[in-house]
């Protein structure tokens, strides 16, 4: 999982840098002209510690919520491009695709789950006549970094059931079922996987939405998803912003964190919405505002502690007047 998260961060780092260069018509707040070097940041932090009174606070490019660039971006973004409709390796998945593209979020989710399971099974196809479960399948079922158990409830249940003989029998049955389900599997275009994930996020449950934000639908190890990473880097902040101005406390927290941090590791092991930070340029005033909005809801205690810690950190970047305004700000 750490390797997968690091890979996403690298891809998004490239994607966001490329996106900010090519999409200047709708810049993120605070992003224009902010080519601050790491050395400059260090100097600023040192100045904050030694001479806070003499330091001029960093100013935010604040705008009214109704004209906020993220809101305009959300309204202007077209749906992700999809490949032309063509028969795939599976009539069932073709049927699910058709339903999903007509607005069925459940069908989009089922397509994504089946495709992910079969993608994970590609290296686990045994030679003809091999005894099941194969050693590779066992490693995948029990491996700490394996996604197979999280993708298939039967595999997870089998891996944690009964004695060793019973576990092997159930895992063998699970592998056979997956082999039958995925026979003839051919990976589909990344555009299709991404487009269906966006449909699920937009039309499905809260869980579907945050899966799209926190676990972007890019294939691990595949550089072919760069186009989708670029789109995600523009789309994800806009979608979260729309929910935040609509009163979603979790979205307010996610925006506050993203405006406050540069990378997920700054969360000290708490990776909640950490990938969003790669797509949003830091802005201490926006961070202070959205985290204050979150704390006025009924926050989760652990997340509330994280929000307060970030507020204390952001407070050194703002004047007393800015902090007072931000604390009671309403989007």
């Amino acid at each position: 999982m750490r390797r997968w998260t690091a890979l996403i961060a690298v891809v998004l780092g490239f994607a966001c840098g490329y996106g900010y260069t090519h999409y200047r018509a709708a810049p993120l707040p605070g992003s224009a002209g902010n080519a601050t070097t790491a050395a400059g940041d260090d100097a600023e932090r040192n100045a904050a510690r030694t001479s806070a009174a003499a330091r001029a606070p960093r100013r935010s490019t604040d705008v009214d919520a109704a004209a906020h660039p993220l809101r305009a971006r959300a309204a202007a973004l077209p749906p992700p491009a999809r490949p032309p409709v063509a028969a795939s390796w599976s009539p069932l998945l073709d049927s699910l695709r058709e339903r999903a593209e007509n607005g069925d979020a459940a069908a989009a989710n089922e397509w994504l789950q089946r495709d992910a399971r079969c993608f994970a099974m590609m290296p686990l196809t045994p030679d003809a006549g091999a005894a099941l479960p194969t050693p590779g399948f066992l490693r995948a079922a029990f491996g700490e970094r394996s996604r197979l158990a999280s993708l298939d409830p039967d595999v997870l249940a089998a891996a944690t059931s009964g004695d060793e003989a019973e576990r092997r029998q159930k895992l063998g049955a699970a592998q056979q079922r997956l082999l039958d389900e995925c026979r003839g599997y051919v990976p589909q275009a990344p555009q299709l996987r991404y487009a269906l994930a966006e449909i699920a996020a937009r039309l499905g449950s809260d869980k579907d939405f945050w899966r799209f934000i926190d676990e972007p639908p890019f294939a691990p190890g595949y550089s072919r998803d760069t186009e989708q990473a670029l789109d995600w880097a523009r789309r994800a902040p806009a979608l979260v912003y729309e929910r935040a101005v609509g009163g979603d406390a979790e979205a307010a927290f996610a925006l506050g964190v993203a405006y406050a941090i540069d990378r997920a590791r700054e969360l000290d092991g708490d990776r909640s919405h950490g990938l969003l930070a790669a797509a949003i340029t830091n802005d201490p005033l926006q961070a202070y505002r959205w985290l204050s909005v979150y704390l006025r809801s009924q926050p989760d205690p652990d997340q509330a502690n994280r929000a307060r810690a970030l507020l204390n950190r952001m407070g050194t970047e703002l004047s007393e007047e800015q902090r007072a305004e931000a604390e009671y700000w309403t989007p």
Side-chain angles (χ1 to χ4, degrees), residues 303-324:
Q303 285 196 164
N305 289 336
R306 170 58 57 192
R308 293 187 187 97
L310 289 173
L311 283 176
N312 290 337
R313 190 170 106 183
M314 291 298 100
T316 65
E317 304 285 348
L318 303 172
S319 69
E320 184 176 350
E321 292 77 14
Q322 285 177 310
R323 291 195 301 272

Side-chain angles (χ1 to χ4, degrees), residues 1 16 26-27 43 45 56 74 99 103 116 125 131 141-142 147 167-168 188 200 263 275 278 282 285 291 311 314:
M1 181 59 71
C16 296
R45 284 192 289 271
R99 287 165 49 196
T125 301
F142 293 107
R147 299 182 67 231
R167 283 196 299 274
R168 290 187 66 87
Q188 299 300 288
R263 52 190 66 86
L275 289 176
N282 285 7
L285 181 55
L291 291 171
L311 283 176
M314 291 298 100

Side-chain angles (χ1 to χ4, degrees), residues 166-210:
E166 182 181 355
R167 283 196 299 274
R168 290 187 66 87
Q169 187 274 325
K170 289 185 176 180
L171 285 168
Q175 184 175 10
Q176 184 61 64
R177 179 182 58 77
L178 286 168
L179 290 170
D180 293 339
E181 177 183 329
C182 300
R183 186 169 288 110
Y185 174 72
V186 177
Q188 299 300 288
Q191 294 93 336
L192 179 57
R193 181 179 59 253
Y194 181 77
L196 296 189
E198 190 270 347
I199 289 172
R202 184 163 38 83
L203 302 178
S205 66
D206 288 348
K207 184 177 180 180
D208 299 330
F209 177 84
W210 289 113

Side-chain angles (χ1 to χ4, degrees), residues 120-142:
M121 283 294 295
M122 285 180 69
L124 303 176
T125 301
D127 296 331
L132 304 182
T134 59
F137 188 83
L138 289 173
R139 286 192 297 271
F142 293 107

Side-chain angles (χ1 to χ4, degrees), residues 17-85:
Y18 182 94
Y20 295 147
T21 301
H22 289 73
Y23 300 118
R24 294 178 181 269
L28 291 168
S31 64
N34 278 350
T36 306
T37 65
D41 285 341
D42 289 341
E44 186 176 342
R45 284 192 289 271
N46 290 334
R49 296 188 187 100
T50 58
S51 183
R55 175 178 48 79
R58 192 188 307 171
R59 297 291 173 176
S60 168
T61 56
D62 183 35
V63 292
D64 292 335
H68 196 288
L70 289 183
R71 172 164 282 182
R73 179 181 297 181
L77 280 175
R82 305 169 193 165
V85 175

Side-chain angles (χ1 to χ4, degrees), residues 79-287:
R82 305 169 193 165
V85 175
S88 76
W89 67 281
S90 168
L92 173 58
L93 263 67
D94 292 342
S95 173
L96 290 171
R97 172 183 176 168
E98 182 179 2
R99 287 165 49 196
E101 292 181 338
N102 285 324
D104 188 334
N109 263 321
E110 186 176 350
W111 190 101
L112 291 163
Q113 290 165 8
R114 287 179 176 273
D115 182 73
R117 283 199 299 269
C118 292
F119 187 90
M121 283 294 295
M122 285 180 69
L124 303 176
T125 301
D127 296 331
L132 304 182
T134 59
F137 188 83
L138 289 173
R139 286 192 297 271
F142 293 107
E144 183 178 337
R145 295 182 179 179
S146 171
R147 299 182 67 231
L148 187 59
S150 65
L151 291 169
D152 191 282
D154 288 350
V155 173
L156 180 61
T160 56
S161 68
D163 57 23
E164 183 177 356
E166 182 181 355
R167 283 196 299 274
R168 290 187 66 87
Q169 187 274 325
K170 289 185 176 180
L171 285 168
Q175 184 175 10
Q176 184 61 64
R177 179 182 58 77
L178 286 168
L179 290 170
D180 293 339
E181 177 183 329
C182 300
R183 186 169 288 110
Y185 174 72
V186 177
Q188 299 300 288
Q191 294 93 336
L192 179 57
R193 181 179 59 253
Y194 181 77
L196 296 189
E198 190 270 347
I199 289 172
R202 184 163 38 83
L203 302 178
S205 66
D206 288 348
K207 184 177 180 180
D208 299 330
F209 177 84
W210 289 113
R211 183 184 297 114
F212 182 80
I213 300 301
D214 296 332
E215 301 175 30
F218 313 139
Y222 275 52
S223 60
R224 61 180 184 162
D225 288 15
T226 301
E227 178 185 340
Q228 288 68 52
L230 290 171
D231 185 272
W232 185 92
R234 300 186 69 211
R235 189 177 304 275
L239 294 176
V240 174
Y241 180 83
E242 278 197 314
R243 290 174 72 105
V245 297
D248 187 317
E250 189 64 23
F253 175 79
L255 274 184
V257 169
Y259 277 122
I261 70 172
D262 290 314
R263 52 190 66 86
R265 66 170 177 264
E266 293 183 52
L267 292 174
D268 298 329
D270 178 5
R271 296 184 178 274
S272 299
H273 315 314
L275 289 176
L276 193 65
I280 293 183
T281 300
N282 285 7
D283 186 322
L285 181 55
Q286 292 284 356

